[in-house]
Amino acid sequence: MRKNFLTLVLLLIGTFAFAQNGMTKFEQLPANSQEFVNTYFKDYKVMYVFMEKEFADTEYKLRFEDGTEIEFNAKGEWKNVSGERNCIPTAFILKEITNYVAAYHTDMCITDVEKDHNRIKVELNDHLEIEFSSKGKFISYDD
């Protein structure tokens, strides 16, 4: 009996967790995420928005028709932008970073950018990865 009860509880928890994940509408994104998309990706067509809730944390993944993806945290701040090997708009990236790429990699473009607590990593279209501080100071290369 106890084993059946435990199985039922786990099944209900799994069902509840699954019910919190799924497709949602663009309008359900936090306001600052919508503003980010409308400002920097206004010419892109949204294919879908996926919301994932895990306990107290919510994340959103937006995918455009060309394959570009943006991940947002619960506060609506971008975490990752991936162009799937295509160049992405860069106006939202710190000028120190875009200036560095323009100065030292003149024929390259940024295809991915990932931001965590104290670092920003960009990937160029030649697959070279460059790591910067959260203030845009160069740290290292990783290829």
Side-chain angles (χ1 to χ4, degrees), residues 12-75:
L12 289 173
I13 289 172
T15 302
F16 178 73
F18 181 75
Q20 299 298 313
N21 297 326
M23 301 301 228
T24 189
K25 296 180 180 179
F26 178 79
E27 294 76 21
Q28 297 301 114
L29 285 172
N32 54 332
S33 296
Q34 293 180 45
E35 184 178 334
F36 178 86
V37 172
N38 290 331
T39 301
Y40 302 111
F41 294 85
K42 63 183 174 216
D43 296 329
Y44 289 62
K45 294 187 181 192
V46 175
M47 181 186 241
Y48 67 79
V49 177
F50 187 84
M51 179 179 66
E52 182 176 346
K53 283 191 175 186
E54 291 183 15
F55 301 105
D57 194 31
T58 303
E59 292 187 352
Y60 301 90
K61 182 183 279 188
L62 181 145
R63 185 174 180 93
F64 295 105
E65 288 181 354
D66 74 340
T68 300
E69 290 185 349
I70 306 173
E71 293 181 24
F72 297 100
N73 64 19
K75 295 178 185 176

Side-chain angles (χ1 to χ4, degrees), residues 1-13:
M1 177 76 173
R2 182 178 168 129
K3 186 176 179 180
N4 289 341
F5 177 73
L6 183 58
T7 302
L8 179 62
V9 168
L10 290 174
L11 182 62
L12 289 173
I13 289 172

